[in-house]
Amino acid sequence: MRTIIIASARRPPAIVRFLLSAVIVFVVYFMAGTVFGLIGSTPLARAVYASVLLLMLLWSFSALLFSLDQVRSPLLDAAGLPLDTQTWRDAAAGLGFGVAAVSVVVVVVAIGGTVRFEFTGLHPVAFLLSFWALVAAALVEELVFRGYPLHRLIEAIGAPAAVTITSCLFGLAHLRNPHASLVGAINTAAIGALLAITYVRTRALWLSWGIHFGWNLALGLGYGLVVSGYSEFSAAITGTLGGPQWLTGGDYGIEASVTSTIVILVLILVLRVLVKQRPAPEVVITGRPSRIVPEPTDGPKPGIQ
């Protein structure tokens, strides 16, 4: 069991810390986006953009945890990124779930429509840069939508409402992507709920990151398909889907398809059964330990997560 050490119980209200983190996210994206705009859209640029975002968010959330949340134990633990043996099991399991879910969607599309793959030649540098961009981008989005802001919102209003709000924001954020659609936003919000549930169940971000990364990895590098409207991640194989838009998702990709809607809902049910609730971290405030006992529901009680 993890232990979170708090120097003082005198902290700003959780909703204030949430709102401050939201402002920081906006500023970080603006600054990283400015850098990305200067270097152009290339595999290297995407890798740099994701890396800059990741480093800035890790530093910013660590600063909030230390200064406002008064955390004095390892900050990565408090941020939902503990590094232990369970980390690798969660990440590997999530990777398998993500790849399997995308593969099921592709098989269904192949049955109801057409799927074609063309080998365009392996470009090692582009492949490695795209791979890293997907690794970092998935962790960035987990930190933003399932990391510090979600933790503080759970502390302020409880898990069900916090998961609902952040999942809807996750869907709305993807409306800025190329060829975005309402179905795509709804599916993305559903994926956000799935990923948030895994955080609430495991008290860590590694399983949700694994699912997120595995999904995008299979789509972009594995099958050479469009990832949330972006088609720049294919570095060896280019995939083409044929069939009605409700089946394939059209130009936005399979994430805007009814096929994905069904698979995502099934995956939520499967994960709710397979992923058991883990005990909350023990919180120690000025030397006085107080165990946070999980409620019978999926939501953790207020406290540092």
Side-chain angles (χ1 to χ4, degrees):
M1 179 187 300
R2 286 182 286 147
T3 299
I4 307 297
I5 300 174
I6 309 297
S8 171
R10 299 181 63 181
R11 297 171 291 163
I15 192 65
V16 172
R17 284 174 276 151
F18 164 75
L19 292 173
L20 181 57
S21 70
V23 172
I24 287 174
V25 167
F26 177 82
V27 172
V28 165
Y29 266 91
F30 176 79
M31 293 174 65
T34 301
V35 173
F36 183 70
L38 293 175
I39 60 180
S41 180
T42 64
L44 177 60
R46 289 190 292 273
V48 169
Y49 174 64
S51 300
V52 169
L53 273 176
L54 179 58
L55 291 174
M56 292 176 72
L57 287 170
L58 284 172
W59 186 89
S60 299
F61 291 154
S62 295
L64 289 179
L65 284 166
F66 186 84
S67 61
L68 296 187
D69 295 276
Q70 296 290 307
V71 173
R72 295 299 181 264
S73 52
L75 296 176
L76 283 179
D77 284 9
L81 295 171
L83 298 175
D84 51 32
T85 55
Q86 189 64 50
T87 296
W88 314 113
R89 289 195 289 267
D90 284 350
L95 180 63
F97 274 119
V99 171
V102 168
S103 299
V104 169
V105 176
V106 171
V107 169
V108 172
V109 173
I111 294 172
T114 60
V115 177
R116 295 186 178 88
F117 299 110
E118 178 186 358
F119 181 69
T120 56
L122 178 62
H123 307 282
V125 174
F127 185 93
L128 291 174
L129 288 172
S130 295
F131 181 88
W132 171 250
L134 292 172
V135 168
L139 189 52
V140 163
E141 292 193 346
E142 291 311 301
L143 285 170
V144 170
F145 293 100
R146 265 74 60 181
Y148 185 93
L150 175 61
H151 304 176
R152 300 291 74 78
L153 203 55
I154 288 175
E155 192 177 348
I157 62 177
V163 167
T164 300
I165 290 171
T166 55
S167 299
C168 290
L169 290 174
F170 188 53
L172 289 172
H174 284 73
L175 283 174
R176 298 172 58 250
N177 290 17
H179 314 293
S181 68
L182 179 59
V183 176
I186 292 172
N187 282 351
T188 303
I191 293 174
L194 180 155
L195 298 174
I197 289 170
T198 63
Y199 162 72
V200 171
R201 288 291 182 95
T202 65
R203 313 303 178 113
L205 294 173
W206 294 117
L207 181 58
S208 60
W209 171 81
I211 295 172
H212 195 154
F213 171 57
W215 179 285
N216 290 347
L217 178 69
L219 267 182
L221 287 180
Y223 294 116
L225 298 171
V226 178
V227 181
S228 301
Y230 293 99
S231 57
E232 294 90 352
F233 294 101
S234 174
I237 296 173
T238 299
T240 304
L241 306 181
Q245 184 162 333
W246 66 265
L247 179 69
T248 66
D251 292 334
Y252 187 79
I254 63 169
E255 292 156 306
S257 69
V258 176
T259 315
S260 285
T261 306
I262 297 171
V263 170
I264 293 165
L265 293 177
V266 171
L267 188 58
I268 289 175
L269 296 176
V270 170
L271 287 172
R272 283 180 63 88
V273 172
L274 294 181
V275 181
K276 305 303 181 183
Q277 182 73 56
R278 296 177 188 171
E282 183 181 27
V283 176
V284 177
I285 303 177
T286 62
R288 297 190 302 274
S290 60
R291 171 75 180 280
I292 301 179
V293 181
E295 296 179 353
T297 62
D298 287 340
K301 297 188 76 173
I304 294 292
Q305 302 302 320

